[in-house]
Amino acid sequence: SHIRHAWDPTKSVAQNLAEMGLAEDPNKAVPIPKKKLLGMEVESDGWEQGKKVVRKPYVVNEMEYEASLPEKKSNTLSRDLIDYVRYMIQNHGENYKEMARDEKNYYQDTPKQIKRKINVYKNFYPEEYKDFIASLKQEKMDVQ
Protein backbone atom coordinates (compact mmCIF):
# COMPACT_ATOMS: atom_id res chain seq x y z
CA SER A 1 0.00 0.00 0.00
CA HIS A 2 2.93 2.34 0.69
CA ILE A 3 4.27 1.85 -2.83
CA ARG A 4 0.80 2.29 -4.33
CA HIS A 5 0.34 5.68 -2.60
CA ALA A 6 3.74 6.98 -3.70
CA TRP A 7 3.45 5.68 -7.28
CA ASP A 8 3.52 8.24 -10.12
CA PRO A 9 1.70 6.84 -13.18
CA THR A 10 3.47 9.31 -15.49
CA LYS A 11 6.86 7.71 -14.79
CA SER A 12 8.26 4.33 -15.71
CA VAL A 13 8.57 1.45 -13.27
CA ALA A 14 12.34 1.92 -13.03
CA GLN A 15 11.97 5.65 -12.32
CA ASN A 16 9.28 5.12 -9.67
CA LEU A 17 11.26 2.43 -7.86
CA ALA A 18 14.48 4.46 -8.03
CA GLU A 19 12.72 7.48 -6.46
CA MET A 20 11.55 5.27 -3.60
CA GLY A 21 14.99 3.80 -3.05
CA LEU A 22 13.91 0.33 -4.17
CA ALA A 23 15.71 -1.90 -6.65
CA GLU A 24 14.17 -2.68 -10.01
CA ASP A 25 16.26 -5.82 -10.48
CA PRO A 26 17.23 -7.65 -7.28
CA ASN A 27 19.99 -9.49 -9.13
CA LYS A 28 21.71 -6.19 -9.82
CA ALA A 29 20.96 -4.67 -6.41
CA VAL A 30 23.05 -7.20 -4.51
CA PRO A 31 26.59 -7.32 -5.87
CA ILE A 32 27.99 -10.72 -6.77
CA PRO A 33 31.30 -11.30 -4.96
CA LYS A 34 34.37 -12.56 -6.77
CA LYS A 35 34.67 -16.33 -6.73
CA LYS A 36 37.61 -18.62 -7.27
CA LEU A 37 36.96 -21.56 -9.55
CA LEU A 38 39.77 -24.09 -9.66
CA GLY A 39 42.49 -21.49 -9.17
CA MET A 40 41.04 -18.96 -11.66
CA GLU A 41 39.47 -15.71 -10.60
CA VAL A 42 36.06 -14.96 -12.03
CA GLU A 43 34.75 -11.43 -11.71
CA SER A 44 31.18 -10.41 -11.27
CA ASP A 45 29.20 -8.90 -14.13
CA GLY A 46 30.98 -5.57 -13.59
CA TRP A 47 27.77 -3.65 -13.04
CA GLU A 48 28.21 -1.04 -10.37
CA GLN A 49 25.36 0.94 -9.03
CA GLY A 50 25.88 4.68 -9.23
CA LYS A 51 24.61 7.10 -6.64
CA LYS A 52 20.89 7.63 -7.10
CA VAL A 53 18.82 10.35 -5.52
CA VAL A 54 16.04 8.95 -3.36
CA ARG A 55 13.22 11.44 -3.47
CA LYS A 56 10.70 9.35 -1.52
CA PRO A 57 12.63 7.75 1.36
CA TYR A 58 9.50 7.58 3.51
CA VAL A 59 8.28 4.59 1.46
CA VAL A 60 11.22 2.42 2.47
CA ASN A 61 11.05 3.71 6.06
CA GLU A 62 7.35 2.84 6.34
CA MET A 63 7.94 -0.62 4.84
CA GLU A 64 10.83 -1.28 7.26
CA TYR A 65 8.70 -0.17 10.21
CA GLU A 66 5.81 -2.40 9.13
CA ALA A 67 8.16 -5.36 8.72
CA SER A 68 9.62 -4.82 12.20
CA LEU A 69 6.24 -5.07 13.93
CA PRO A 70 5.59 -8.36 15.71
CA GLU A 71 3.33 -10.77 13.90
CA LYS A 72 -0.24 -10.91 15.16
CA LYS A 73 -1.21 -14.29 16.53
CA SER A 74 -4.50 -15.50 15.25
CA ASN A 75 -5.90 -17.91 17.79
CA THR A 76 -9.02 -18.79 15.88
CA LEU A 77 -10.34 -21.91 14.26
CA SER A 78 -12.75 -22.12 11.38
CA ARG A 79 -16.43 -22.28 12.24
CA ASP A 80 -16.69 -25.58 10.33
CA LEU A 81 -13.99 -27.22 12.46
CA ILE A 82 -15.61 -26.01 15.68
CA ASP A 83 -19.01 -27.34 14.59
CA TYR A 84 -17.44 -30.65 13.51
CA VAL A 85 -15.65 -31.15 16.84
CA ARG A 86 -18.71 -30.21 18.87
CA TYR A 87 -20.90 -32.57 16.85
CA MET A 88 -18.49 -35.45 17.35
CA ILE A 89 -18.17 -34.88 21.10
CA GLN A 90 -21.92 -34.44 21.49
CA ASN A 91 -22.78 -37.69 19.68
CA HIS A 92 -19.84 -39.93 20.56
CA GLY A 93 -18.26 -38.63 23.77
CA GLU A 94 -14.62 -39.75 23.68
CA ASN A 95 -15.06 -42.81 21.45
CA TYR A 96 -12.75 -41.82 18.60
CA LYS A 97 -13.21 -45.06 16.66
CA GLU A 98 -16.94 -44.46 16.55
CA MET A 99 -16.29 -40.86 15.44
CA ALA A 100 -14.15 -42.14 12.56
CA ARG A 101 -17.10 -44.26 11.34
CA ASP A 102 -19.60 -41.40 11.62
CA GLU A 103 -21.26 -40.28 8.38
CA LYS A 104 -20.35 -36.65 9.12
CA ASN A 105 -16.65 -37.57 8.94
CA TYR A 106 -16.50 -36.28 5.35
CA TYR A 107 -12.72 -36.10 5.21
CA GLN A 108 -12.38 -39.68 6.48
CA ASP A 109 -10.23 -38.65 9.41
CA THR A 110 -8.67 -41.45 11.40
CA PRO A 111 -9.37 -41.70 15.15
CA LYS A 112 -5.98 -40.07 15.90
CA GLN A 113 -6.68 -37.18 13.52
CA ILE A 114 -10.05 -36.57 15.15
CA LYS A 115 -8.45 -36.70 18.61
CA ARG A 116 -5.86 -34.16 17.46
CA LYS A 117 -8.59 -31.82 16.15
CA ILE A 118 -10.43 -32.07 19.45
CA ASN A 119 -7.22 -31.29 21.35
CA VAL A 120 -6.61 -28.25 19.15
CA TYR A 121 -10.13 -27.07 19.94
CA LYS A 122 -9.49 -27.64 23.68
CA ASN A 123 -6.27 -25.59 23.52
CA PHE A 124 -7.72 -22.70 21.51
CA TYR A 125 -10.99 -22.37 23.42
CA PRO A 126 -10.53 -23.90 26.90
CA GLU A 127 -13.38 -21.95 28.52
CA GLU A 128 -15.80 -22.64 25.70
CA TYR A 129 -14.86 -26.35 25.81
CA LYS A 130 -15.49 -26.56 29.57
CA ASP A 131 -18.87 -24.86 29.18
CA PHE A 132 -19.78 -27.20 26.34
CA ILE A 133 -18.87 -30.33 28.34
CA ALA A 134 -20.79 -28.98 31.35
CA SER A 135 -23.87 -28.38 29.21
CA LEU A 136 -23.65 -31.94 27.82
CA LYS A 137 -23.48 -33.37 31.35
CA GLN A 138 -26.47 -31.22 32.34
CA GLU A 139 -28.46 -32.49 29.34
CA LYS A 140 -27.70 -36.12 30.27
CA MET A 141 -28.86 -35.49 33.84
CA ASP A 142 -32.08 -33.84 32.60
CA VAL A 143 -32.87 -36.77 30.30
CA GLN A 144 -32.39 -39.35 33.04
Side-chain angles (χ1 to χ4, degrees), residues 21-91:
L22 301 173
E24 176 189 10
D25 185 4
N27 294 323
K28 292 181 180 177
V30 179
I32 300 171
K34 293 183 180 183
K35 297 180 183 177
K36 289 190 176 188
L37 295 174
L38 302 173
M40 300 185 323
E41 257 188 40
V42 178
E43 288 193 27
S44 61
D45 59 358
W47 185 84
E48 290 186 18
Q49 187 175 357
K51 293 281 183 181
K52 294 184 180 177
V53 177
V54 179
R55 293 191 178 122
K56 300 177 184 176
Y58 61 90
V59 175
V60 174
N61 295 337
E62 289 171 354
M63 289 173 65
E64 285 175 348
Y65 171 74
E66 202 172 283
S68 70
L69 293 175
E71 187 176 327
K72 293 180 183 176
K73 291 187 178 182
S74 61
N75 289 344
T76 59
L77 298 176
S78 69
R79 190 75 237 163
D80 292 337
L81 181 64
I82 293 170
D83 293 341
Y84 172 76
V85 167
R86 294 184 96 185
Y87 168 82
M88 290 297 187
I89 294 172
Q90 190 171 10
N91 291 318

Side-chain angles (χ1 to χ4, degrees), residues 119-141:
N119 286 334
V120 167
Y121 174 68
K122 285 180 189 178
N123 292 335
F124 274 63
Y125 302 103
E127 298 299 321
E128 187 178 316
Y129 176 75
K130 288 176 187 172
D131 295 341
F132 177 63
I133 296 299
S135 70
L136 287 178
K137 287 180 181 175
Q138 186 64 36
E139 283 179 22
K140 285 183 181 178
M141 294 177 94

Side-chain angles (χ1 to χ4, degrees), residues 92-106:
H92 305 291
E94 291 195 12
N95 188 346
Y96 301 111
K97 287 184 180 180
E98 201 175 301
M99 290 180 192
R101 291 190 204 109
D102 193 293
E103 63 183 19
K104 294 264 184 171
N105 185 7
Y106 300 126

